[in-house]
Amino acid sequence: QVQLVESGGGLVQAGGSLRLSCAASGRSLSAYAMGWFRQAPGKEREFVARISWSGVTRTYADSVKGRFTISRDNAKNTVYLQMNSLKPEDTAVYYCAADPNPAPVKYDYWGQGTQVTVSS
C-alpha cells in the first residue's frame, strides 16, 4: 500500500510561483509513474502532468505546458510540481497519484490534495 501526502499549496498572486510536493510512504515510488491532477470547484478532475518512473518522459496538459514542471527525486520518494506564471484559472485542489501499472495508464493511489488559490 502506498500513502501519498501533498504539500506546498497556498494563496499566491497571479504571475507568482508555487512548488507542490508529494511525499510517499509505505513503498518506494521508484518503479511507479506519477501524475498530478487538479479539480476546480464545480468542475471535473483534470490531468495536469505525468512523469515516468525514470523521469525521462514527462507529459503535460496544454493549459500548463511551458509554465509547470514535474520532477521526481526517487531517493526522497517525492514528486514535485513547480508552477510558474500562475493564473487565476489554475485555482484548484491539486492531487498527486501513483501508477504502478506497466500498461495501460491507471492510477491506483491518490493523495488527499492541497489547495492552490491564485488571486487576480
Side-chain angles (χ1 to χ4, degrees), residues 2-113:
V2 174
Q3 291 80 42
L4 303 173
V5 178
E6 302 95 336
S7 61
L11 174 63
V12 64
Q13 288 189 333
S17 299
L18 283 174
R19 188 176 82 152
L20 306 183
S21 299
C22 173
S25 61
R27 190 171 293 182
S28 170
L29 293 181
S30 60
Y32 294 8
M34 298 294 296
W36 283 97
F37 293 77
R38 66 187 182 186
Q39 187 167 20
K43 296 187 177 181
E44 293 188 354
R45 185 173 61 196
E46 64 175 359
F47 167 78
V48 174
R50 175 180 171 93
I51 188 168
S52 62
W53 67 270
S54 65
V56 170
T57 302
R58 310 180 194 197
T59 57
Y60 298 92
D62 288 343
S63 58
V64 307
K65 205 172 292 184
R67 300 188 298 122
F68 290 11
T69 302
I70 189 171
S71 62
R72 66 190 301 159
D73 185 337
N74 286 340
K76 295 183 178 180
N77 227 23
T78 301
V79 178
Y80 305 97
L81 185 69
Q82 178 67 43
M83 305 186 296
N84 298 329
S85 302
L86 283 161
K87 304 176 181 180
E89 51 263 44
D90 294 319
T91 295
V93 177
Y94 283 71
Y95 301 89
C96 70
D99 175 9
N101 308 290
V105 172
K106 180 176 177 293
Y107 295 92
D108 288 343
Y109 306 103
W110 294 81
Q112 83 291 345

